[in-house]
Amino acid sequence: MKRLKNIVNRKQLLKRQFKLEDLPEKKGKKFVIIQIDGLSSPLLKTLSKTKYMPSMGKLLDRYNITKWDPGVPANTHFIQAGIMYGNNSIVPGFKFYDKKKGKVYALGTNPSAKAIEEELALKNKGILRGGTSINNVYSGGADRSVMTMAKIYENRGRVGTLNEAIKVVLLNPVSSLRIILLTAREICLELYESFLEIITSFVNQKHFNWPFFHPYFPFFRAFMTTTTREISTQTMLLEIERNVPYLYVNYLGYDSLAHYRGPTSISGFNLLKQIDRDIKKIVTKAEEKNYDVFIMSDHGQVPSKPFDKLYYETFDEFVAKVANTTTKSFIAQSNENTMSKFMWYKIKYYYKHFSLPLRIMSWSFVQMLRLSVKMMRKEEKELSRVQKQPIIIQYSSSLAQMYLNFKEKRLDISEIEEKYPTLVKEIVQHPGIGFIIGKEGDEYHIIHAKGKIILKKNSVEFKGERFLKVYGDEKKLVKQIRYFASLKYTGDLIIIGDYDGKTMVAFDHFHFGTHDSLGGEQQDSFFISKERIDLSHITNAKELYPFFEAYHDEK
């Protein structure tokens, strides 16, 4: 009878399918990290008292919550590099450029994420060695990675592939049915909300995103909010059951929705309601198995307005005009390209392993995505000639990195002004720009339309208006900007969108919620733990690395 139960038991079936074994109880402590991507501490506290996150509200009655600052840039890729490897010195944003190699990095794609993780791992060991990474940017050295961008195609002893991720759900009829129903619901909701937004925006004269702004966004939304969430939850429950000692899962659907709809949208809140239920399941199971549970966010978001919707031209078009370059010789890698590659890498692999009925159901979506990617092949081919272009801009929401290609080294502001006499001044004076950061010898200059901050080796000089106070704690931001400006692969000019204390200007043309730079709730992350932990001193996510690394030292 016991043998029969093991045969029909879903968890046992999954273990046999993946050739996984239960691990012996670890001597010492083990941890579970649950990350809610993009949710700020103030917003969590508000929602925990409402119908949207009631489980988190009950959890906070017996757990402690503290606010912490992940640093600048407020970006998942920078933050996870710091937490997992104690080193984020090579991650200046979501997208950036290596002038010497003529190489573009877009960390929403496997080749870029993999290359950066390999470089990170040369310095420190990852905190997840011996554990599992689920839906993260990097693996953190994990033995097993599921839906982790840097390892998305790797197959270590038949574990960690996307095929596994699908089986986790498809071998559970309840999960499969839930995904089908919720996917249909999310697609319908996106279409309804899009058309409703058009009507209300015309009435209220507001900016908005058109439906199918990206041809596949309703499907992308459904995929991120249902499929990846369900796979993440079921995989976590399986790994806890197996006694895997170090687990890190990232729920990133809310962050994607918040970019598109804003951080306080009802659609975002409804997704958090589902995440709240999933977290309850994981915490209950983890506590039964004596894990230390940590629930955190990497960053928050602030409301934003896209640059091109405010000024009827993109930022790269403005720069091309000021620098007197032709649009043909000017390259700006769009977020659309990166998102298409991100979707294509994931969906192409999933599609190969779908059953015939699922292939038929998803055929139209896959063909639409294939066409979208095909239309961008021409732009992809241009990357081989990118080092011949005079100016390159990489957008990361409210952050833009500008690289001037007439020299391989990082340029001083004076060298830029010699080549393009009005460029710096015109950018700074534009109403959509908050300030820029540049290098001058051993100094870093933070330049605003009405003020300037000079970061010298052992001192700071302020001139004119103290503009950083709008963005947050001036003293802390000066320290963080000094570190940010020193990162490998940062641009010759770093441009931050304007922020009035409530709303920020974003360079990506569909972002109505933003982070990736600094200011407001972008840097208001939360950290929930059983024991009270003081993180008020932290100004960089890499300072959390020793805390989790210490788990490997316990006997």
Side-chain angles (χ1 to χ4, degrees):
M1 182 62 71
K2 184 176 181 181
R3 185 177 178 184
L4 179 63
K5 285 183 178 179
N6 284 338
I7 291 174
V8 298
N9 182 279
R10 191 180 69 86
K11 289 187 174 64
Q12 294 298 329
L13 182 60
L14 286 170
K15 292 172 187 177
R16 288 197 301 274
Q17 282 282 324
F18 305 151
K19 296 186 177 180
L20 300 173
E21 296 180 356
D22 289 346
L23 301 181
E25 278 291 339
K26 176 184 177 292
K27 295 180 180 180
K29 296 193 291 185
K30 50 189 180 179
F31 66 72
V32 163
I33 302 173
I34 304 169
Q35 178 177 305
I36 308 178
D37 203 311
L39 182 62
S40 70
S41 179
L43 190 53
L44 169 71
K45 290 179 179 178
T46 298
L47 293 177
S48 66
K49 300 173 183 177
T50 68
K51 65 179 181 179
Y52 295 110
M53 302 192 81
S55 297
M56 290 299 293
K58 292 178 181 177
L59 189 72
L60 292 178
D61 290 337
R62 54 194 184 87
Y63 275 64
N64 294 286
I65 182 171
T66 184
K67 187 170 76 171
W68 71 288
D69 188 333
V72 176
N75 165 278
T76 303
H77 311 82
F78 170 84
I79 293 162
Q80 284 200 344
I83 294 172
M84 291 185 179
Y85 287 100
N87 175 25
N88 44 28
S89 62
I90 59 172
V91 190
F94 175 45
K95 286 177 282 186
F96 47 93
Y97 176 64
D98 183 345
K99 290 178 71 175
K100 290 183 180 179
K101 295 180 181 179
K103 180 178 180 179
V104 172
Y105 288 89
L107 296 183
T109 64
N110 168 259
S112 293
K114 181 178 180 180
I116 290 298
E117 178 160 41
E118 288 173 351
E119 193 170 346
L120 290 169
L122 294 175
K123 187 174 181 180
N124 290 326
K125 294 179 180 179
I127 63 168
L128 294 179
R129 59 189 186 278
T132 300
S133 169
I134 303 166
N135 214 20
N136 293 304
V137 180
Y138 316 108
S139 71
D143 289 358
R144 185 166 184 252
S145 297
V146 178
M147 295 193 304
T148 294
M149 185 52 67
K151 303 289 185 181
I152 204 160
Y153 293 131
E154 289 200 8
N155 186 346
R156 300 181 182 180
R158 294 180 55 83
V159 300
T161 65
L162 284 172
N163 190 24
E164 272 196 35
I166 298 171
K167 288 181 180 178
V168 166
V169 173
L170 295 186
L171 288 176
N172 184 345
V174 176
S175 290
S176 300
L177 181 61
R178 188 185 298 123
I179 284 179
I180 292 170
L181 294 176
L182 288 177
T183 295
R185 174 178 175 270
E186 286 296 320
I187 292 173
C188 292
L189 272 175
E190 173 57 31
L191 295 176
Y192 168 75
E193 290 172 1
S194 292
F195 286 110
L196 184 65
E197 187 176 24
I198 291 173
I199 295 171
T200 56
S201 295
F202 275 125
V203 171
N204 300 323
Q205 296 185 331
K206 295 192 322 182
H207 297 288
F208 60 90
N209 281 323
W210 288 95
F212 293 100
F213 172 71
H214 293 290
Y216 46 79
F217 185 78
F219 304 99
F220 176 80
R221 168 177 170 170
F223 178 75
M224 297 296 285
T225 60
T226 60
T227 306
T228 62
R229 180 180 57 78
E230 187 69 21
I231 290 171
S232 297
T233 302
Q234 295 301 324
T235 303
M236 278 292 284
L237 293 173
L238 176 64
E239 297 300 86
I240 292 171
E241 178 73 20
R242 292 181 53 233
N243 292 319
V244 176
Y246 314 114
L247 298 170
Y248 192 149
V249 63
N250 181 26
Y251 288 101
L252 50 78
Y254 167 75
D255 185 65
S256 300
L257 265 181
H259 277 307
Y260 198 77
R261 293 277 177 228
T264 57
S265 68
I266 296 300
S267 54
F269 289 174
N270 283 327
L271 173 57
L272 288 171
K273 189 174 184 178
Q274 297 171 42
I275 293 173
D276 182 73
R277 293 169 182 163
D278 289 334
I279 290 176
K280 180 181 178 181
K281 296 175 187 176
I282 294 171
V283 171
T284 300
K285 190 69 176 177
E287 289 180 334
E288 289 175 1
K289 302 283 280 188
N290 298 316
Y291 281 84
D292 288 344
V293 177
F294 303 98
I295 307 171
M296 57 173 282
S297 63
D298 49 348
H299 57 78
Q301 286 204 24
V302 295
S304 62
K305 293 179 180 178
F307 186 99
D308 64 331
K309 285 182 169 61
L310 289 172
Y311 305 109
Y312 305 102
E313 63 178 349
T314 63
F315 179 65
D316 48 276
E317 288 170 343
F318 167 73
V319 172
K321 181 172 61 179
V322 172
N324 197 27
T325 66
T326 63
T327 54
K328 194 172 184 179
S329 66
F330 182 88
I331 289 183
Q333 295 303 313
S334 69
N335 190 74
E336 184 177 357
N337 190 4
T338 298
M339 187 177 287
S340 291
K341 286 161 64 177
F342 174 79
M343 284 292 292
W344 185 244
Y345 282 140
K346 288 194 172 185
I347 293 299
K348 184 170 66 172
Y349 196 95
Y350 275 71
Y351 187 67
K352 286 180 181 178
H353 297 279
F354 278 169
S355 63
L356 181 61
L358 283 174
R359 282 196 179 204
I360 294 171
M361 289 171 60
S362 59
W363 181 86
S364 60
F365 169 47
V366 172
Q367 294 307 312
M368 187 183 300
L369 185 59
R370 189 193 303 274
L371 178 62
S372 176
V373 172
K374 186 176 180 181
M375 291 169 63
M376 294 175 185
R377 293 298 186 193
K378 187 175 180 181
E379 183 179 350
E380 284 293 302
K381 291 178 181 178
E382 291 295 320
L383 291 179
S384 62
R385 300 192 297 272
V386 74
Q387 57 187 347
K388 298 179 182 179
Q389 308 303 322
I391 302 176
I392 296 166
I393 298 178
Q394 295 287 280
Y395 294 152
S396 298
S397 199
S398 52
L399 165 69
Q401 303 267 5
M402 183 184 296
Y403 305 83
L404 295 97
N405 252 349
F406 61 88
K407 289 185 181 180
E408 280 191 359
K409 74 177 187 71
R410 187 176 178 185
L411 299 170
D412 287 346
I413 293 174
S414 57
E415 293 177 293
I416 297 171
E417 291 178 326
E418 184 178 348
K419 180 74 173 179
Y420 300 103
T422 64
L423 182 61
V424 173
K425 181 180 178 181
E426 292 280 358
I427 292 175
V428 168
Q429 294 294 330
H430 193 287
I433 303 303
F435 58 88
I436 67 171
I437 305 166
K439 174 179 167 290
E440 189 61 48
D442 295 331
E443 301 173 349
Y444 296 112
H445 291 197
I446 309 171
I447 308 171
H448 180 267
K450 297 181 180 179
K452 186 175 184 179
I453 304 172
I454 301 175
L455 307 182
K456 300 179 180 180
K457 189 173 182 179
N458 298 311
S459 63
V460 180
E461 181 181 351
F462 293 91
K463 295 182 178 181
E465 186 177 300
R466 304 288 282 266
F467 55 90
L468 271 185
K469 291 183 177 181
V470 177
Y471 289 80
D473 184 302
E474 183 183 61
K475 184 177 180 180
K476 182 166 63 174
L477 286 176
V478 164
K479 177 183 177 181
Q480 292 172 324
I481 291 173
R482 187 191 293 276
Y483 178 77
F484 176 36
S486 71
L487 300 182
K488 186 178 181 181
Y489 304 127
T490 50
D492 297 311
L493 291 178
I494 303 167
I495 301 98
I496 307 296
D498 183 55
Y499 181 58
D500 61 7
K502 294 181 179 179
T503 305
M504 199 162 197
V505 174
F507 299 108
D508 282 299
H509 52 290
F510 67 94
H511 280 197
F512 286 88
T514 188
H515 57 93
D516 283 282
S517 59
L518 58 97
E521 291 187 14
Q522 291 184 71
Q523 294 170 258
D524 286 350
S525 305
F526 64 83
F527 190 92
I528 298 172
S529 57
K530 192 78 171 181
E531 297 180 2
R532 187 177 298 278
I533 302 173
D534 182 15
L535 302 179
S536 60
H537 61 286
I538 288 182
T539 58
N540 189 319
K542 68 179 183 178
E543 295 172 63
L544 281 178
Y545 174 78
F547 177 81
F548 292 110
E549 177 62 19
Y551 277 76
H552 292 274
D553 299 330
E554 292 202 10
K555 298 180 181 180

